[in-house]
Amino acid sequence: MRIGLIGTGRIGAFHAGVLARHPAIESLVVADADPGRAAGVAGAVGAEAAPTVDALLGHALDAVVISSATASHAGLIARAAGAGLPAFCEKPIALDLPGTLGALRAVESAGTELQLGFMRRFDAGYRAAREAVRSGRLGRLHTVRAATSDPAPPPAAYLPLSGGLFRDCLVHDFDILRWVTGREVVEVYATGSDAGPAMFGAAGDVDTAAAVLTLDDGTLATATATRCNGAGYDVRMELAGERDQIAVGWDDRTPLSSVEAQGPPVPEKPWSGFLERFAPAYEAELDAFLRLVMGSGPNPCDGREALRALRIAEACERSRRERRPVALSEIPPGDG
């Protein structure tokens, strides 16, 4: 196969390495808004660099992988669909519902495939948790606790373009909550704090957030996130049922210290970031996409899944802003 990769920043460069090594790929073409960066990544992985996205799409491609800046996602998805190409895109499709729905309509009109990059679905721990819930091992699930903690804030220039903590970060927790439990969120109550670095308040964002989510079977979930966790990169989920409880993301590298005398030791090498923590999952999701392109596997996370997660994030942002519970029925469903 001949694959095109659009965007060669941090995650794009990682994807380029994965794609270049994949046995099903005969050639890889990369492009970026910064042609010099694209050339550097291409040289590092043995790929071909295209000077522009137009030039990249002019190649005889079998599919495209989109890992460019968020603001470009919807347009590039539509362009790939117009070219009849299946596309893999990092989340989000867009930072708002109209942009998301427009891209989804383009894909559906063209009859092509779109797979979204919610990599936690491919993590071994989350997959085991899903099986534990679905098999009945936990009994009736009553409580879920999800947490995402970044070790350091992103650059200030990124914040106004990110969509905010709920849409940019916690959207992963919202997606994986649905995927693991098989249930839908019906109501949220969310809040946030910008008491950390001043750049968050200046951008109208928060550096720390928390949400209580009610699922359609009465299960209660909490989801918290922060950009300021100096101990390291910490992503976990705890699921408690009437028979048992389990945890995802708790291992000898979890950046959490116990104050109990018999507690586990401080991790010698805590997780430093998302690429290190989820590297196998990122590789697995791209492998699944290539199997989709070859017709040997289903779409494991289509665009409608991104729409559903975004609606939860939209409800949380409204709840934070208006300081009240928000039902998901208040958020326009589109076709989702």
Side-chain angles (χ1 to χ4, degrees), residues 99-319:
T100 299
L101 289 168
L104 292 176
R105 282 192 289 267
V107 171
E108 290 174 1
S109 177
T112 54
E113 293 279 3
L114 171 64
Q115 180 182 328
L116 261 291
F118 283 113
M119 77 292 186
R120 295 187 194 181
R121 295 182 176 215
F122 297 87
D123 176 75
Y126 284 107
R127 295 179 78 87
R130 186 176 194 260
E131 173 59 26
V133 172
R134 304 299 181 89
S135 69
R137 170 187 156 189
L138 306 184
R140 181 184 67 86
L141 186 68
H142 52 73
T143 307
V144 182
R145 293 177 286 271
T148 295
S149 303
D150 288 334
Y158 173 78
L159 295 178
L161 308 175
S162 71
L165 192 59
F166 290 107
R167 300 184 188 93
D168 179 57
C169 180
L170 275 163
V171 72
H172 278 292
D173 297 271
F174 302 150
D175 175 73
I176 205 63
L177 174 64
R178 294 182 59 252
W179 188 77
V180 168
T181 65
R183 313 305 307 191
E184 297 295 341
V185 175
V186 296
E187 185 180 79
V188 307
Y189 194 9
T191 188
S193 169
D194 62 359
M199 64 182 181
F200 287 96
D205 197 5
V206 294
D207 61 79
T208 303
V212 177
L213 307 104
T214 302
L215 307 190
D216 58 11
D217 64 345
T219 300
L220 297 179
T222 60
T224 63
T226 184
R227 300 288 197 185
C228 306
N229 189 56
Y233 182 72
D234 187 5
V235 171
R236 280 178 284 134
M237 174 180 272
E238 299 172 7
L239 300 107
E242 291 183 334
R243 296 179 185 169
D244 198 2
Q245 58 181 346
I246 57 176
V248 179
W250 182 26
D251 58 24
D252 60 1
R253 298 189 63 183
T254 302
L256 183 67
S257 301
S258 173
V259 296
E260 302 295 339
Q262 302 301 318
V266 176
E268 293 183 6
K269 188 181 179 184
W271 295 109
S272 61
F274 64 92
L275 279 178
E276 182 185 32
R277 166 67 176 84
F278 287 110
Y282 279 115
E283 294 200 30
E285 70 177 358
L286 285 179
D287 181 70
F289 174 63
L290 296 175
R291 285 188 278 111
L292 171 66
V293 174
M294 293 185 290
S296 60
N299 190 334
C301 187
D302 69 22
R304 293 287 159 185
E305 297 296 280
L307 174 61
R308 294 179 179 103
L310 177 61
R311 289 184 67 241
I312 300 170
E314 290 286 334
C316 286
E317 185 57 41
R318 181 177 296 185
S319 176

